Amino acid sequence: MRKRIVAGNWKMNTDKSSAIALAEAVKNQLVSVPSNTEVVLCVPFVHISEVKRVLDGSSIKTGAQNCYTQPSGAYTGEVSAPMLRSYGVEYVILGHSERREYFKESNAELAQKVKIALENNLIPIFCVGEVKEERQAGVHISVVERQLEESLFHLSAEHFFKIVIAYEPVWAIGTGLTATTAQAQEMHNAVRQMIAKKYSSDIAERISILYGGSCKPENARELFACADVDGGLIGGASLKASDFVAIVNSF
Ligand code: PGA
């Protein structure tokens, strides 16, 4: 059975006290985590230590939202995978569309980030997804295939197996527009078929593929009920503990 994952992506939100309060609220409100489900909070770098302290003793994992391609050195302002690991971080979001758009992260650069994350025992939550024009042109599946091919499909089966994929249609992120269950299932199934073709159907069946893009308590249940949707990457709704916890409880 595939692992189900709900990961909150706080993006560049919260300050020290509100980050602590939000992590505490999620921890307190999440009375029990559904079976076979992993709950992760991907928080801004500066809050990792405090959030980790709050979450210690619970089953909720701490994640980051990015890491640099190199392990250390003269890269002013960057944060490395070994640094994150030394703070007990277990997951790292890579390839989020906001990183691709605003920070010009290419598929090739993301391949390097995936490599260093895996070398440091971080689980990448690797984001793929098409922009509105690509969906309108009907090329959404080939866009996602290219993202996977150029950033992940060179990995050995042993390494690929550790990856979590998040399908996030860019037009649905923060817009209130959500993919329909048919659109989500179509893409998740297509991704699983790509993995089966590249690796094996056994590996394809075991990789968790999350949906992200305006996922909220009102639509999480129907999205998570799709055969190939194994959870969600939650932006806006992860900033309100009760909404995030309701989404976790939507399986
Ligand atoms: P959203 O963001 O839930 O606010 O649409 C999702 C994401 O960007 O990961």
Side-chain angles (χ1 to χ4, degrees):
M1 194 184 183
R2 286 193 288 275
K3 195 192 280 181
R4 305 188 299 194
I5 301 170
V6 179
N9 174 10
W10 290 5
K11 309 194 181 186
M12 197 176 72
N13 293 297
T14 66
D15 62 7
K16 184 177 177 184
S17 58
S18 59
I20 293 171
L22 181 54
E24 277 172 349
V26 171
K27 180 180 164 177
N28 293 336
Q29 290 178 34
L30 199 61
V31 185
S32 68
V33 174
S35 64
N36 192 35
T37 305
E38 190 108 295
V39 179
V40 189
L41 299 183
C42 297
V43 306
F45 291 138
V46 289
H47 302 328
I48 282 172
S49 189
E50 294 289 342
V51 167
K52 184 86 178 59
R53 189 178 52 73
V54 170
L55 298 181
D56 269 349
S58 79
S59 60
I60 307 169
K61 313 283 192 217
T62 307
Q65 301 169 14
N66 182 30
C67 70
Y68 194 50
T69 55
Q70 303 302 316
S72 64
Y75 303 102
T76 303
E78 291 297 323
V79 172
S80 75
M83 289 174 189
L84 295 174
R85 192 61 210 174
S86 75
Y87 278 87
V89 169
E90 292 180 61
Y91 286 82
V92 60
I93 297 172
L94 292 175
H96 191 279
S97 64
E98 287 149 16
R99 302 284 327 165
R100 292 175 187 266
E101 183 183 353
Y102 304 137
F103 304 96
K104 307 290 169 235
E105 293 191 1
S106 65
N107 290 338
E109 182 180 1
L110 290 169
Q112 286 183 280
K113 292 191 175 195
V114 167
K115 178 170 179 285
I116 196 137
L118 290 172
E119 283 169 1
N120 288 279
N121 288 322
L122 295 169
I123 302 172
I125 300 177
F126 189 81
C127 303
V128 294
E130 80 285 356
V131 298
K132 188 170 87 205
E133 293 71 25
E134 290 163 339
R135 177 157 284 270
Q136 283 167 344
V139 296
H140 46 290
I141 290 180
S142 57
V143 166
V144 166
E145 186 162 30
R146 180 145 184 222
Q147 292 169 335
L148 292 171
E149 262 167 12
E150 294 185 358
S151 298
L152 298 184
F153 279 177
H154 59 285
L155 293 171
S156 67
E158 188 201 343
H159 283 146
F160 184 80
F161 186 59
K162 301 195 170 123
I163 305 267
V164 172
I165 293 174
Y167 169 54
E168 298 207 307
V170 181
W171 48 269
I173 296 177
T175 57
L177 292 174
T178 314
T180 62
T181 52
Q183 288 171 327
Q185 173 56 24
E186 179 200 35
M187 182 63 85
H188 284 233
N189 182 260
V191 168
R192 217 175 286 291
Q193 284 177 28
M194 291 168 207
I195 299 168
K197 199 166 123 207
K198 177 71 198 173
Y199 294 96
S200 70
S201 45
D202 180 50
I203 290 185
E205 279 308 312
R206 287 157 74 179
I207 294 278
S208 301
I209 309 177
L210 317 183
Y211 169 80
S214 299
C215 185
K216 38 191 183 244
E218 297 76 39
N219 57 29
R221 192 170 293 278
E222 60 176 16
L223 285 161
F224 294 177
C226 295
D228 288 295
V229 176
D230 305 309
L233 181 55
I234 318 299
S238 73
L239 295 171
K240 197 172 160 203
S242 56
D243 281 359
F244 184 68
V245 169
I247 292 172
V248 174
N249 288 324
S250 296
F251 281 112

